[in-house]
Amino acid sequence: AQTVTQSQPEMSVQEAETVTLSCTYDTSESNYYLFWYKQPPSRQMILVIRQEAYKQQNATENRFSVNFQKAAKSFSLKISDSQLGDTAMYFCAFMTYLNNNDMRFGAGTRLTVKP
Amino acid sequence: DAMVIQNPRYQVTQFGKPVTLSCSQTLNHNVMYWYQQKSSQAPKLLFHYYDKDFNNEADTPDNFQSRRPNTSFCFLDIRSPGLGDAAMYLCATSRGGVNEAFFGQGTRLTVV
């Protein structure tokens, strides 16, 4: 079975500081994609960043970066210079090449950025 | 702007009364998904369409059905809603393959 685990139900960070959200996953597949999605209080989920498992280089999108450790099956999200607008639920998600229309989500981490 | 649109945003239905939620997309994506999301939980995949091919998750109750009459529209039918079906229902689309999903704003279903 393929599972995604987010062990931090809630986190908070001061504005302008850096925070890291954790995600681990379990799969027997070697080819897959990992995603971080953000779901603000308005509830529309949007993609933050994605990582292809075959790439060793960690993905980066502006203030968002990942630390992808394939051997450890870990995929953490780092948010630098946190902004009030980063307050949201963050979901880690996983999709394999084999079941590439089946995206699995973790339980989410609720991040609050404090002024 | 191209997007995924869900209607209505909020739906109240009576226990046991059939209800239909709708989703439309202007992205021309092959895949359309329906997820159920209960409070503070991960979105749970109910089923998805790849074009006209319907794929049901093994643990999706028979009470939930879906229709996709064309590329743009997809419907979620709940034949006899129970109190446990109250949730946010998310529609998403994708080009297929290992591509990101684009989500609608969701429909919050309340069962009274």
Side-chain angles (χ1 to χ4, degrees):
Chain A
Q2 287 156 159
T3 59
V4 181
T5 303
Q6 293 179 250
S7 58
Q8 305 151 314
E10 294 190 24
M11 294 190 72
S12 63
V13 64
Q14 291 296 129
E15 195 175 8
E17 293 188 349
T18 296
V19 64
T20 298
L21 310 183
S22 301
C23 173
T24 59
Y25 58 93
D26 188 24
T27 182
S28 57
E29 302 294 324
S30 58
N31 296 317
Y32 49 88
Y33 275 68
L34 295 157
F35 306 85
W36 277 99
Y37 279 87
K38 170 185 177 181
Q39 191 177 36
S42 65
R43 307 292 284 192
Q44 184 166 25
M45 201 163 340
I46 55 175
L47 180 70
V48 174
I49 198 166
R50 58 183 283 171
Q51 173 82 39
E52 293 89 337
Y54 66 86
K55 288 187 176 179
Q56 292 186 335
Q57 186 173 6
N58 289 324
T60 299
E61 288 287 342
N62 300 314
R63 297 183 294 108
F64 298 87
S65 61
V66 299
N67 183 5
F68 174 49
Q69 301 288 329
K70 191 171 183 179
K73 296 181 180 175
S74 170
F75 181 61
S76 60
L77 174 69
K78 185 172 84 171
I79 306 174
S80 303
D81 186 25
S82 297
Q83 300 176 0
L84 297 178
D86 296 333
T87 292
M89 282 289 288
Y90 287 82
F91 291 96
C92 179
F94 171 93
M95 177 186 283
T96 69
Y97 279 74
L98 190 62
N99 292 308
N100 58 29
N101 292 310
D102 184 355
M103 183 175 288
R104 301 285 169 165
F105 288 84
T109 296
R110 184 177 301 279
L111 177 68
T112 301
V113 180
K114 298 180 178 179
Chain B
D1 289 341
M3 58 178 62
V4 181
I5 302 167
Q6 291 187 244
N7 284 305
R9 291 287 308 279
Y10 302 91
Q11 175 74 56
V12 180
T13 191
Q14 290 181 329
F15 183 94
K17 184 176 180 181
V19 65
T20 294
L21 310 182
S22 71
C23 177
S24 64
Q25 56 137 338
T26 60
L27 297 161
N28 204 34
H29 282 170
N30 298 103
V31 188
M32 294 188 79
Y33 303 87
W34 280 104
Y35 286 87
Q36 180 192 64
Q37 186 182 23
K38 296 190 175 180
S39 181
S40 301
Q41 295 183 22
K44 178 183 179 299
L45 183 63
L46 296 174
F47 24 60
H48 73 272
Y49 276 94
Y50 192 106
D51 294 328
K52 287 194 173 293
D53 292 334
F54 178 69
N55 297 273
N56 198 31
E57 290 297 300
D59 57 353
T60 298
D62 292 340
N63 197 27
F64 291 85
Q65 303 286 319
S66 185
R67 297 170 284 135
R68 189 179 185 185
N70 53 52
T71 299
S72 301
F73 286 87
C74 195
F75 301 97
L76 170 62
D77 301 308
I78 309 176
R79 294 192 295 189
S80 181
L83 297 178
D85 297 328
M88 178 73 82
Y89 289 87
L90 300 174
C91 174
T93 73
S94 166
R95 286 194 294 271
V98 282
N99 285 295
E100 69 186 89
F102 292 78
F103 285 82
Q105 287 190 293
T107 295
R108 181 168 294 285
L109 178 68
T110 301
V111 181
V112 298

